[in-house]
Amino acid sequence: MTPIERTKMAWESMRYRCAGRDARTKKYYAARGISVCAAWDDEVNGFDNFLRDMGPCPPQRELDRRNNNHGYSAWNCRWTTRKVQNRNTRKNRYVVYLGRRMACSEAAEAAGWIVSGQLAAVRVARGWDAREAVETPPWG
């Protein structure tokens, strides 16, 4: 698949999710007010505007919104890896670790994967301090 074809697929998928016609995705997009900016949603020039603003989709990248509470627009979108995108969801539990706000999985990685991000998140949910949650081995 060419970069332009990947870009077109991302643009079409974005518009489809936000249109609210799919019951499975409606609650995550249209029902939350997540929309596509007018320039990108235009029937005639939307894809050209999207391509101009975002550029072609690089290899191994996906369309991501920086802030998941805002819609799709040039200021809120980026091409990013699946790893970064997975850490940018409403489901993640965030902590302050090493002086920076990050997802538990990112904190676990920064600590050298002593525990999984999932275990760190469970520990934080149970009231553990972020440092303890990611630096205490599972058996200790």
Side-chain angles (χ1 to χ4, degrees):
M1 186 179 297
T2 70
I4 298 301
E5 289 170 333
R6 284 195 312 274
T7 306
K8 182 100 176 199
M9 186 183 312
W11 175 75
E12 289 170 345
S13 296
M14 165 192 71
R15 292 182 73 224
Y16 179 77
R17 286 190 299 272
C18 294
R21 291 187 286 267
D22 183 348
R24 293 172 298 157
T25 60
K26 185 175 184 175
K27 65 182 175 183
Y28 302 114
Y29 295 92
R32 289 185 50 231
I34 305 302
S35 62
V36 178
C37 70
W40 291 0
D41 205 28
D42 182 77
E43 289 295 328
V44 177
N45 298 312
F47 177 69
D48 292 335
N49 294 335
F50 178 76
L51 182 60
R52 178 199 67 222
D53 291 342
M54 295 297 297
C57 178
Q60 308 298 313
R61 297 293 191 268
E62 300 175 4
L63 185 63
D64 182 48
R65 287 175 292 134
R66 287 179 176 90
N67 184 325
N68 287 313
N69 293 316
H70 294 284
Y72 290 90
S73 63
W75 67 268
N76 195 39
C77 289
R78 61 188 173 183
W79 296 117
T80 191
T81 63
R82 171 65 65 148
K83 181 178 180 179
V84 170
Q85 190 174 37
N86 285 342
R87 289 180 176 169
N88 184 29
T89 70
R90 293 180 299 133
K91 294 177 185 178
N92 279 330
R93 182 169 301 276
Y94 290 89
V95 295
V96 175
Y97 181 68
L98 302 177
R100 200 168 62 93
R101 182 180 185 269
M102 58 181 81
C104 283
S105 59
E106 189 176 2
E109 182 179 23
W113 292 113
I114 297 167
V115 299
S116 69
Q118 186 175 7
L119 178 56
V122 167
R123 288 174 166 180
V124 169
R126 291 180 178 164
W128 288 45
D129 171 74
R131 178 172 232 107
E132 291 175 324
V134 299
E135 294 181 1
T136 303
W139 55 88

